[in-house]
């Protein structure tokens, strides 16, 4: 239902505009924006009033990239508790992504780092970033250009699975390739 | 087309209406064994019934603080409305130390509340005041009266007429809905100030209580926003590449300490909000995050794993010297100063899980205050008497509060989804 989804986005955007003080500009002004690092040029930030409804497909299901070759199907790798090293069983996954990115130099991927729920939220934000950087380093060694990679840590904010048990935690400690 | 828009605008307003109001109810989970017995007599009412039971709001506030144990109404033989009607002997026989009586009358569009606080053992009046409240503010009037009573007896400024900000979350993975709310300190009158399908976290009150800084992923990247609560107007303060997190206002409201990882790893920065300039505070290859200002603005408390695991450190703003503060256990994070600067509240991991703890800065002694295994985000009331934090109950996140001495606690369950990341406002009056 394309219509429904648009309507929903509109409703949420409008309600946010309402919350933002009914101002005709939507209430958000651009502050300091600095994305000068490698790999960030041109990605920019979504503009004024762009709130919610745009987050679909962050798990790598957005298969709209029209480039040669196919994006590897396995787009999530998992980590041990309190660790950021790449487990040997996932090296082949990373090598497949490295091969794809090397042969498709226009392809770009966001490495989304996640943690389980244990510990404080902002500290987990840092741990999630550390995991994503670990993947970034691995891909770099495999010859992927830094300009194709961006890192976003979600910390513990987007668990893949709910639950306060080891199985849930194991599925939540992950890095997702979002093309 | 116009009709379509109107229809959707109507639907949106309905949606907004259902989203915008939320109440958290309160359950006392632990009463203090040192609470002072007090009786808050139901206030006499002139005219038609009132939207709020003023005496009940006051009684609940006092009980929640852990400092008082209110007498149940069923134990009251008489219900005096003024000090002149009180026979002290009768209340002494009930072992009541203090007595609150009052009367509420309609006045114009609002209310006039007359109350008195009586010292039962001394047989004297301690307070007597008439408070006026506009039509929607009767509950606020009851919070104000609670503050006066609390201060008159304990000598500590009351913090009942304050507010809390918190974050709600529903769903899992890519299908989530987040909300940022502001409510009264007792969980009532919740108002949504932001809604997003992307994460919202780390709300922080400006010292004047007018603005919130927070982290929102609404652009699918983290950014720090500053939103004025009265108007909803907001600005994006930072959106560097990498982490933009953990905003914390300086006591003078001119600066925001924050975590940015634009230079490779998470570091603490201080932003001059007016000048939009940045000063880098930490510089090393480990994680530095979760800054919090000391009440005098002269130092920053922060979490760092420079020693291996996360521990709390203090950075002196003038000398630049850094001192490690926590040594008990291998996980101490997200510290917040007590308003007097003499203690810090933090998350401490022990064999029981992640709990709220208080560490006295002079002695270095750490005391665990909370009891669950998944406690996080402690935020201290502006008078230092209570700490609100996030915990788990059943399978959802709820807010809970514990007195600074750990003796009393209460919980604020929500009917909808997870509630987390509480931030207690400064004094608002």
């Amino acid at each position: 239902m394309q219509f429904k989804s648009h309507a929903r986005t509109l409703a949420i955007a409008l309600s946010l505009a309402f919350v933002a003080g009914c101002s005709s500009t939507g209430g958000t002004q651009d502050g300091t924006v600095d994305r000068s690092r490698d790999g960030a040029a041109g990605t920019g930030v979504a503009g004024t009033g762009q709130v919610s409804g745009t987050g679909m497909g962050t798990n790598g299901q957005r298969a709209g990239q029209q480039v040669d070759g196919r994006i590897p199907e396995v787009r999530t790798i998992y980590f041990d508790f309190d660790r950021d090293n790449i487990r040997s069983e996932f090296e082949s996954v990373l090598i497949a992504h490295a091969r794809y990115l090397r042969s498709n130099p226009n392809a770009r991927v966001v490495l989304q780092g996640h943690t389980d729920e244990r510990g404080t939220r902002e500290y987990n934000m840092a741990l999630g970033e550390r995991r994503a950087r670990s993947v970034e380093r691995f891909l770099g060694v495999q010859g992927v250009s830094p300009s194709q990679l961006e890192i976003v840590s979600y910390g513990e904010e987007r668990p893949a699975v709910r639950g306060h048990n080891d199985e849930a935690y194991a599925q939540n400690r992950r890095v997702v390739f979002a093309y | 087309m116009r009709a379509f828009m109107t229809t959707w605008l109507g639907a949106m307003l309905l949606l907004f209406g259902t989203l915008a109001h939320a109440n958290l109810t309160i359950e006392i989970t632990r009463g203090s064994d040192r609470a002072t017995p007090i009786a808050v007599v139901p206030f006499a009412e002139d005219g038609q019934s009132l939207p709020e039971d003023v005496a009940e709001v006051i009684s609940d506030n006092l009980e929640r603080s852990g400092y008082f144990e209110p007498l149940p109404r069923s134990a009251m033989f008489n219900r005096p409305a003024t000090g002149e009607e009180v026979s002290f002997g009768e209340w002494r026989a009930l072992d009541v130390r203090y007595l609150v009586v009052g009367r509420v009358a309609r006045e114009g569009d609002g209310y006039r509340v007359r109350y008195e606080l009586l010292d039962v053992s001394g047989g004297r009046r301690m307070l007597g005041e008439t408070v006026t409240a506009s039509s929607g503010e009767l509950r606020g009037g009851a919070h104000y009266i609670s503050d006066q009573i609390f201060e008159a007896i304990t000598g500590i400024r009351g913090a009942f007429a304050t507010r809390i900000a918190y974050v709600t979350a529903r769903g899992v993975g890519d299908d989530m809905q987040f909300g940022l709310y502001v409510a009264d300190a007792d969980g009532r009158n919740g108002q949504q100030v932001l809604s997003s399908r992307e994460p919202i976290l780390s709300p922080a009150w400006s010292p004047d209580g007018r603005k919130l800084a927070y982290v929102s992923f609404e652009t699918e990247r983290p950014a720090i926003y500053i939103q004025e609560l009265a108007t909803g107007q907001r600005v994006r303060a930072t959106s560097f590449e990498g982490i933009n997190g953990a905003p914390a206002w300086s006591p003078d409201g001119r600066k925001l300490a924050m975590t940015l990882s634009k230079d490779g790893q998470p570091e603490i920065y201080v932003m001059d909000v007016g000048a939009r300039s940045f000063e880098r505070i930490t510089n090393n290859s480990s994680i530095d995050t979760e800054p919090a200002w000391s009440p005098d603005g002269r130092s920053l408390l922060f979490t760092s794993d420079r020693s291996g695991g996360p521990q709390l450190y203090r950075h002196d703003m003038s000398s630049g010297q850094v001192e490690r503060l926590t040594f008990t256990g291998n996980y101490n994070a997200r510290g917040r100063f007590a308003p007097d600067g003499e203690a810090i509240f933090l998350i401490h991991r022990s064999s029981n899980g992640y709990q709220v703890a208080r560490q006295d800065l002079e002695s270095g002694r750490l005391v665990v205050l909370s009891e669950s295994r998944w406690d996080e985000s402690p935020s201290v009331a502006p008078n230092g008497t209570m700490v609100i934090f996030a915990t788990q109950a059943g399978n959802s996140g709820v807010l809970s509060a514990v007195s600074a001495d750990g003796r009393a606690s209460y919980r604020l369950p929500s009917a909808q989804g997870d509630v987390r990341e509480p931030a207690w406002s400064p004094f608002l009056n």
Side-chain angles (χ1 to χ4, degrees):
Chain A
M1 283 288 284
Q2 191 69 7
F3 167 75
K4 203 167 184 175
S5 120
H6 277 307
R8 184 177 181 195
T9 306
L10 175 69
I12 291 166
L14 281 170
S15 66
L16 277 157
F18 184 78
V19 174
C22 302
S23 113
S24 57
T25 61
T28 301
Q29 298 162 22
D30 235 347
T32 307
V33 178
D34 178 355
R35 290 187 178 273
S36 55
R37 263 174 57 93
D38 284 350
T43 54
V45 187
T48 303
Q50 174 98 15
V51 177
S52 101
T54 55
M56 302 301 289
T58 48
N59 204 19
Q61 278 96 8
R62 193 186 290 156
Q65 304 280 328
Q66 296 304 311
V67 288
D68 295 334
R70 289 188 33 212
I71 299 171
E73 271 174 30
V74 179
R75 292 173 205 170
T76 305
I77 67 164
Y78 300 93
F79 291 79
D80 290 333
F81 174 62
D82 212 19
R83 303 298 294 271
D84 60 7
N85 59 300
I86 307 296
R87 276 152 57 174
S88 55
E89 72 217 77
F90 294 116
E91 286 180 6
S92 60
V93 176
L94 266 55
I95 289 166
H97 283 280
R99 192 180 303 129
Y100 171 79
L101 288 163
R102 277 197 316 268
S103 55
N104 295 274
N106 293 324
R108 305 171 53 83
V109 65
V110 177
L111 304 172
Q112 300 176 338
H114 298 268
T115 68
D116 67 35
E117 66 175 10
R118 292 173 291 176
T120 66
R121 291 179 180 277
E122 290 283 4
Y123 188 70
N124 281 342
M125 205 57 82
L127 292 178
E129 184 175 84
R130 206 174 250 181
R131 286 188 178 136
R133 287 212 188 281
S134 173
V135 172
E136 179 189 48
R137 271 195 306 276
F138 189 104
L139 297 175
V141 169
Q142 296 289 318
V144 176
S145 162
S147 66
Q148 291 177 274
L149 305 174
E150 188 188 354
I151 284 172
V152 175
S153 174
Y154 283 90
E156 64 178 281
E157 305 304 316
R158 277 201 180 281
V161 178
R162 282 181 73 98
H164 314 300
N165 53 63
D166 288 342
E167 297 83 69
Y169 297 156
Q171 290 186 67
N172 290 334
R173 290 189 300 265
R174 66 203 195 276
V175 167
V176 176
F177 286 75
Y179 284 90
Chain B
M1 186 58 193
R2 194 180 192 92
F4 171 82
M5 283 304 290
T6 308
T7 306
W8 277 106
L9 192 65
M12 177 276 284
L13 288 171
L14 279 172
L15 173 77
F16 182 74
T18 56
L19 284 176
H21 297 281
N23 278 323
L24 304 174
T25 53
I26 285 183
E27 296 167 7
I28 304 263
T29 44
R30 196 176 348 133
S32 171
D33 51 0
R34 292 195 194 170
T36 301
I38 191 169
V40 185
V41 179
F43 283 18
E45 296 178 6
D46 293 346
Q48 61 275 67
S49 65
L50 300 168
E52 299 288 348
D53 183 334
V54 174
E56 186 175 67
V57 173
I58 295 168
S59 178
D60 288 351
N61 281 341
L62 296 175
E63 181 175 17
R64 219 168 56 241
S65 73
Y67 282 74
F68 295 97
E69 183 187 357
L71 184 75
R73 287 182 175 182
S74 56
M76 298 176 189
F77 299 123
N78 273 314
R79 297 190 169 190
T82 65
E84 283 151 14
E85 296 168 33
V86 170
S87 120
F88 285 107
E90 191 180 290
W91 297 96
R92 277 184 209 121
L94 292 166
D95 283 331
V96 167
R97 292 271 305 279
Y98 299 96
L99 184 63
V100 178
V101 296
R103 176 181 294 282
V104 187
R106 282 192 182 271
E107 186 178 71
D109 279 347
Y111 305 95
R112 193 177 70 246
V113 185
R114 169 83 193 160
Y115 76 93
E116 291 172 70
L117 169 64
L118 305 155
D119 170 0
V120 173
S121 45
R124 68 186 180 96
R125 194 173 83 163
M126 297 172 71
L127 280 180
E129 192 182 1
T130 300
V131 176
T132 55
S134 59
S135 70
E137 290 294 328
L138 188 53
R139 213 180 160 82
H143 292 318
Y144 167 81
I145 294 169
S146 307
D147 283 344
Q148 306 312 307
I149 293 167
F150 187 84
E151 183 165 357
I153 298 174
T154 66
I156 302 166
R157 187 173 174 187
F160 302 111
T162 54
R163 312 190 82 190
I164 48 172
Y166 56 89
V167 173
T168 61
R170 276 176 296 168
V172 74
D174 291 336
D175 188 18
M176 293 187 73
Q177 186 68 45
F178 297 84
L180 177 61
Y181 285 80
V182 171
D184 291 348
D186 62 0
R188 300 285 291 268
N189 293 326
Q191 301 280 326
Q192 192 173 50
V193 299
L194 184 70
S195 161
S196 178
R197 292 176 54 81
E198 298 289 336
I200 300 169
L201 71 158
S202 300
W205 291 87
S206 62
D208 63 7
R210 292 182 181 170
K211 287 173 281 198
L212 281 180
Y214 54 84
V215 176
S216 168
F217 280 65
E218 63 200 50
T219 62
E220 298 184 39
R221 304 288 184 278
I224 295 173
Y225 297 80
I226 298 172
Q227 182 162 336
E228 208 174 300
L229 290 170
T231 63
Q233 289 274 342
R234 60 191 199 133
V235 292
R236 185 158 52 202
T238 72
S239 55
F240 292 101
E241 181 171 3
I243 292 170
N244 294 260
W249 294 90
S250 61
D252 65 8
R254 291 182 184 170
K255 292 173 178 173
L256 266 187
M258 60 181 66
T259 304
L260 301 173
S261 66
K262 63 192 178 75
D263 297 323
Q265 59 279 318
E267 304 284 3
I268 310 287
Y269 288 76
V270 170
M271 176 187 186
D272 183 309
V273 175
R276 290 190 168 276
S277 59
F278 293 84
E279 181 190 356
R280 182 165 168 171
I281 302 297
T282 59
N283 194 347
N284 58 62
S285 59
S286 42
I287 291 171
D288 296 309
T289 187
E290 302 176 330
W293 295 86
S294 61
D296 63 9
R298 290 184 186 161
S299 61
L300 279 173
L301 181 67
F302 64 99
T303 308
S304 176
D305 74 343
R306 58 187 67 185
S307 67
Q311 297 290 346
L312 291 172
Y313 294 77
R314 177 160 58 184
H315 173 97
D316 185 287
M317 295 301 283
S318 51
S319 72
Q321 288 200 321
V322 175
E323 173 194 10
R324 178 170 165 183
L325 298 182
T326 53
F327 294 92
T328 309
N330 58 12
Y331 194 113
N332 294 294
R334 229 213 69 140
R336 292 287 187 270
F337 279 99
D340 63 9
E342 290 177 4
I344 51 173
F345 296 90
L346 57 128
I347 291 299
H348 168 72
R349 184 174 68 194
S350 70
S351 54
N352 295 324
Y354 298 81
Q355 297 172 317
V356 177
R358 186 190 74 241
Q359 181 170 318
D360 183 83
L361 287 179
E362 196 172 305
S363 71
R365 201 169 78 95
L366 182 141
V367 182
V368 172
L369 302 177
S370 67
E371 294 175 330
S372 131
R373 293 173 57 197
W374 300 287
D375 299 334
E376 57 184 19
S377 309
S379 176
V380 191
N383 66 1
T385 60
M386 301 291 293
V387 180
I388 193 165
F389 59 97
T391 186
Q392 296 285 329
N395 219 6
S396 55
V398 298
L399 302 186
S400 193
V402 62
S403 60
D405 62 9
R407 284 203 187 87
S409 66
Y410 62 88
R411 195 177 275 168
L412 295 96
S414 162
Q416 46 196 352
D418 285 331
V419 184
R420 50 168 71 165
E421 294 267 88
W424 209 313
S425 80
F427 290 117
L428 299 173
N429 47 27

